[in-house]
């Protein structure tokens, strides 16, 4: 949904028609009071905001939007007949994402809108795949495979295996494991770590030796396959 706050009826109607024809949903306003009432209950994907308006100027409106924690991330493109460097800087300094001066071509405006929306698109979830010595871990899906066999781990067992494989070749002491996995100090009984290592090895089956015991120190994810 795109909100258009523009007091010139002809320009506002032309913008709405052009954007609608491009597949956008549009709600238009001629007065800031109407705009504020709707914005309070519904957050748009982008706002086209004129600077010269009755009741309240666009820069003031933009500053209020940016100071509202619930609305501050809405993309805003300023629309104005002014084209002086001072007005451009004022709009951008107030938090505008882009600035379009009148008169402007509708296709150019659509292109600018799409460009701003792309910048605000949430990035795809980064794949977090770990693989070594026959062990495959998908952190996003919270799945673990030992060879071709899926194994099912408790949350702590999963976190323990992930921490070990991320630090492959490095010895992690029981104290370090307690602190990172259980968020407790070394004063807590370190047998907790040993018990979880034992059950984790049992579930890994033929791959149990990827977890090495370093006597008197702790454990590491090694290369004993």
């Amino acid at each position: 949904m795109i909100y258009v706050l523009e007091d010139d009826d002809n320009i506002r109607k032309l913008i709405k028609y052009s954007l609608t024809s491009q597949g956008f949903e549009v709600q238009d306003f001629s007065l800031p009071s109407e705009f504020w009432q709707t914005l309070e209950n519904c957050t748009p994907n982008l706002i086209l905001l004129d600077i010269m308006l009755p009741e309240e100027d666009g820069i003031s409106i933009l500053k209020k939007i940016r100071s509202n924690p619930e609305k501050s991330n809405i993309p805003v493109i300023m629309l104005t007949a002014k084209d002086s460097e001072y007005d451009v800087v004022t709009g951008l300094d107030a938090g505008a994402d882009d600035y379009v001066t009148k008169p402007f071509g509708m296709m150019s405006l659509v292109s600018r809108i799409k460009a701003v929306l792309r910048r605000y698109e949430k990035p795809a979830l980064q794949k977090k795949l770990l693989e070594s010595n026959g062990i495959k871990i998908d952190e996003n899906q919270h799945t673990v495979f030992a060879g071709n066999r899926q194994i099912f781990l408790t949350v702590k067992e999963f976190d323990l295996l992930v921490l070990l494989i991320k630090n492959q070749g490095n010895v992690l002491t029981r104290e370090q494991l307690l602190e990172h996995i259980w968020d407790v100090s070394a004063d807590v009984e370190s047998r907790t770590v040993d018990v979880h290592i034992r059950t984790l090895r049992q579930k890994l089956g033929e791959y149990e030796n990827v977890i090495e015991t370093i006597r008197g120190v702790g454990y590491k994810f090694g290369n004993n396959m």
Side-chain angles (χ1 to χ4, degrees):
M1 173 66 73
I2 294 177
Y3 286 178
V4 179
L5 179 51
E6 165 64 66
D7 65 322
D8 186 306
D9 291 342
N10 292 328
I11 295 177
R12 190 177 66 256
K13 290 177 181 178
L14 180 58
I15 291 175
K16 184 174 184 179
Y17 173 80
S18 299
L19 296 185
T20 301
S21 67
Q22 291 293 315
F24 292 105
E25 291 184 64
V26 179
Q27 190 161 354
D28 62 309
F29 311 91
S30 60
L31 296 173
S33 55
E34 300 171 345
F35 167 81
W36 285 123
Q37 185 176 3
T38 303
L39 184 65
E40 184 177 348
N41 300 312
C42 185
T43 301
N45 300 103
L46 182 141
I47 297 171
L48 294 178
L49 178 61
D50 189 23
I51 285 187
M52 300 301 292
L53 293 164
E55 300 181 343
E56 186 177 10
D57 69 85
I59 296 296
S60 175
I61 292 172
L62 177 59
K63 289 179 178 179
K64 289 181 180 179
I65 292 172
R66 292 297 182 239
S67 65
N68 185 331
E70 296 181 355
K71 310 293 183 181
S72 61
N73 290 326
I74 302 173
V76 177
I77 297 178
M78 305 300 293
L79 305 176
T80 182
K82 295 183 177 182
D83 58 0
S84 72
E85 183 179 357
Y86 174 79
D87 291 314
V88 171
V89 171
T90 300
L92 295 176
D93 284 350
D97 293 278
D98 203 350
Y99 194 101
V100 181
T101 57
K102 304 172 187 175
F104 48 80
M106 287 300 119
M107 293 311 297
S108 175
L109 178 61
V110 170
S111 178
R112 302 281 278 272
I113 289 172
K114 290 181 177 179
V116 170
L117 287 175
R118 281 196 298 270
R119 294 205 300 268
Y120 274 78
E121 287 178 355
K122 293 183 178 179
L125 188 63
Q126 183 178 1
K127 289 185 177 181
K128 292 186 177 181
L129 303 176
L130 304 171
E131 183 174 357
S132 181
N133 294 331
I135 306 300
K136 301 176 184 178
I137 301 174
D138 186 329
E139 288 188 83
N140 295 331
Q141 299 296 323
H142 213 273
T143 58
V144 178
F145 283 82
N148 296 321
R149 178 176 61 89
Q150 183 173 2
I151 61 176
F152 299 92
L153 307 179
T154 65
V155 172
K156 294 300 184 186
E157 290 167 352
F158 181 88
D159 291 343
L160 185 58
L161 182 59
V162 167
L163 184 60
L164 287 168
I165 197 171
K166 283 184 175 180
N167 289 276
Q168 182 171 357
N170 297 319
V171 180
L172 298 179
T173 66
R174 290 175 175 81
E175 290 76 16
Q176 288 175 314
L177 295 173
L178 279 170
E179 181 179 350
H180 284 84
I181 305 300
W182 284 269
D183 194 25
V184 295
S185 68
D187 295 333
V188 178
E189 177 57 61
S190 63
R191 180 171 169 78
T192 299
V193 175
D194 298 332
V195 171
H196 279 76
I197 289 290
R198 183 169 66 249
T199 57
L200 179 55
R201 281 172 169 162
Q202 290 173 350
K203 293 181 178 181
L204 290 173
E206 62 182 301
Y207 292 86
E208 64 177 340
N209 290 333
V210 296
I211 300 177
E212 296 180 42
T213 300
I214 309 301
R215 294 190 179 278
V217 183
Y219 301 93
K220 75 173 181 177
F221 192 96
N223 300 294
N224 295 337
M225 288 299 298

